[in-house]
Amino acid sequence: MMNYTSEQINKLIKNILKINNQALDALKVIKAEEISHGEVFIKSGLSKFVADKCITSFLAIGLIEMRLNGSSRSYRITEDGENLLKVYEGGNL
């Protein structure tokens, strides 16, 4: 677990939004429920390519974690991911 500071969370949000201004929609979808890999782009309204890049980034920086069940992958938001969304949705950048 990483436990980002408020300053680090603000920088992450700004960097994520530079990649795609809807990238955090994928994180919101994962927050709502543990979700399979294929459902992320459908429920977030992002292209599969962008959703895949978001998932990879979120995993790398610890905002989500992956669960494997055989060959099926699903994702769950982490505490850092929850904190990032609270800051983003609160407009406290």
Side-chain angles (χ1 to χ4, degrees):
M1 183 178 302
M2 296 189 184
N3 294 323
Y4 289 109
T5 65
S6 296
E7 183 179 337
Q8 290 171 320
I9 285 176
N10 286 331
K11 287 181 181 180
L12 284 172
I13 291 170
K14 289 175 184 174
N15 287 336
I16 291 168
L17 293 176
K18 285 180 186 176
I19 296 166
N20 185 302
N21 64 355
Q22 295 176 301
L24 291 176
D25 290 345
L27 191 59
K28 290 178 189 177
V29 166
I30 295 168
K31 178 186 176 188
E33 62 182 306
E34 187 167 320
I35 189 167
S36 73
H37 185 86
E39 292 176 308
V40 173
F41 81 95
I42 294 167
K43 291 187 176 185
S44 67
L46 298 170
S47 71
K48 184 174 181 336
F49 177 79
V50 172
D52 286 348
K53 297 300 177 191
C54 291
I55 289 168
T56 301
S57 298
F58 296 157
L59 284 167
I61 60 176
L63 300 181
I64 63 173
E65 57 187 30
M66 180 172 49
R67 299 189 185 253
L68 294 173
N69 184 10
S71 62
S72 152
R73 293 175 285 175
S74 63
Y75 303 97
R76 188 175 149 262
I77 196 164
T78 64
E79 184 179 338
D80 281 326
E82 295 253 5
N83 290 338
L84 185 137
L85 281 179
K86 283 179 193 172
V87 170
Y88 175 71
E89 291 171 344
N92 300 325
L93 297 178

